[in-house]
Amino acid sequence: DTEVTQTPKHLVMGMTNKKSLKCEQHMGHRAMYWYKQKAKKPPELMFVYSYEKLSINESVPSRFSPECPNSSLLNLHLHALQPEDSALYLCASSLLFGDTQYFGPGTRLTVL
Amino acid sequence: ELKVEQNPLFLSMQEGKNYTIYCNYSTTSDRLYWYRQDPGKSLESLFVLLSNGAVKQEGRLMASLDTKARLSTLHITAAVHDLSATYFCAVDTSSNDYKLSFGAGTTVTVRA
């Protein structure tokens, strides 16, 4: 299985909602990543987990809260988002940090 | 501050001809990455380059790295329509705090 899955594919939420994005891989990868990508812009790295520990947090606002419950799963909890947080959220994994990354299809998030 | 510049930003290719995309970066790097992104889709990793003089090839794409010049090139041989996409380079460094920076992307269109 060489796939990274992300759910949901699309999400529309209000500014007072709480929601979660989910990412899963079964390749035995020990590094997992969250990126944010606005339309027609390059991706921005948000968080990196290595061996289930948060190793990189790129000064992301606290309304984004990552969680890595086990080596296969990565969640991104969303609370009190702003309309400017609307973007494509990409999850990726790699065998070890810095190795070739495998990306999920992304979650397209709209905040109203 | 780690800055990454790609050029050109837009590239119209004729099928069968050869082209090069350039990626310049401003500080000492750990790794250089190349990615491809089709419109409305996720990212696909193409290459990870680690050391000076590194060259990697996959099909019609060849990437090289010159760490002394802080330059990577992505060479496309005999362009075909399937190569139409946006190509990003990215550089990471851990010389102070970890930083991953992307270039703005090169949008490639291959015409008959």
Side-chain angles (χ1 to χ4, degrees):
Chain A
D1 184 359
T2 58
E3 196 180 20
V4 176
T5 59
Q6 286 186 247
T7 54
K9 285 188 169 40
H10 300 273
L11 179 60
V12 179
M13 59 187 290
M15 289 189 285
T16 58
N17 291 157
K18 283 186 183 180
K19 296 285 185 185
S20 296
L21 309 185
K22 181 179 167 184
C23 174
E24 194 165 3
Q25 57 87 16
H26 294 286
M27 294 179 277
H29 289 177
R30 304 314 298 268
M32 296 186 78
Y33 310 74
W34 279 116
Y35 291 86
K36 171 183 175 179
Q37 187 177 27
K38 305 275 281 181
K40 299 198 183 300
K41 295 290 186 184
E44 300 168 41
L45 182 65
M46 300 174 74
F47 303 104
V48 180
Y49 274 81
S50 183
Y51 288 90
E52 295 99 73
K53 285 188 170 44
L54 182 64
S55 62
I56 293 166
N57 177 342
E58 288 286 44
S59 303
V60 178
S62 59
R63 56 186 185 268
F64 295 91
S65 175
E67 180 198 16
C68 189
N70 60 55
S71 60
S72 300
L73 276 177
L74 184 66
N75 298 320
L76 187 63
H77 303 297
L78 314 173
H79 173 54
L81 294 194
Q82 304 296 308
E84 59 264 28
D85 297 321
S86 298
L88 179 66
Y89 288 84
L90 295 167
C91 173
S93 71
S94 62
L95 184 61
L96 297 173
F97 176 70
D99 287 341
T100 299
Q101 293 170 38
Y102 293 78
F103 285 83
T107 294
R108 201 162 292 280
L109 173 67
T110 303
V111 182
L112 301 176
Chain B
E1 185 188 348
L2 177 55
K3 292 185 179 178
V4 181
E5 284 189 6
Q6 266 183 259
N7 65 83
L9 297 182
F10 297 92
L11 187 50
S12 179
M13 299 185 183
Q14 191 172 348
E15 274 188 341
K17 295 201 170 176
N18 303 334
Y19 297 87
T20 302
I21 300 170
Y22 298 89
C23 177
N24 286 95
Y25 54 97
S26 60
T27 67
T28 305
S29 71
D30 293 342
R31 284 165 287 260
L32 189 134
Y33 306 85
W34 283 99
Y35 302 92
R36 170 189 170 135
Q37 188 171 36
D38 292 320
K41 302 290 186 184
S42 184
L43 285 172
E44 176 189 352
S45 292
L46 295 175
F47 304 108
V48 181
L49 302 171
L50 298 176
S51 57
N52 190 42
V55 177
K56 290 195 176 181
Q57 183 163 6
E58 180 75 33
R60 298 174 189 276
L61 301 178
M62 184 174 72
S64 64
L65 178 62
D66 181 344
T67 57
K68 292 177 183 174
R70 296 180 183 158
L71 171 68
S72 179
T73 58
L74 182 66
H75 188 72
I76 298 168
T77 302
V80 292
H81 186 261
D82 284 354
L83 293 178
S84 297
T86 296
Y87 294 84
F88 293 101
C89 67
V91 177
D92 69 2
T93 181
S94 51
S95 56
N96 288 312
D97 289 330
Y98 178 81
K99 184 69 181 170
L100 173 69
S101 289
F102 279 78
T106 298
T107 300
V108 168
T109 305
V110 182
R111 64 188 192 283

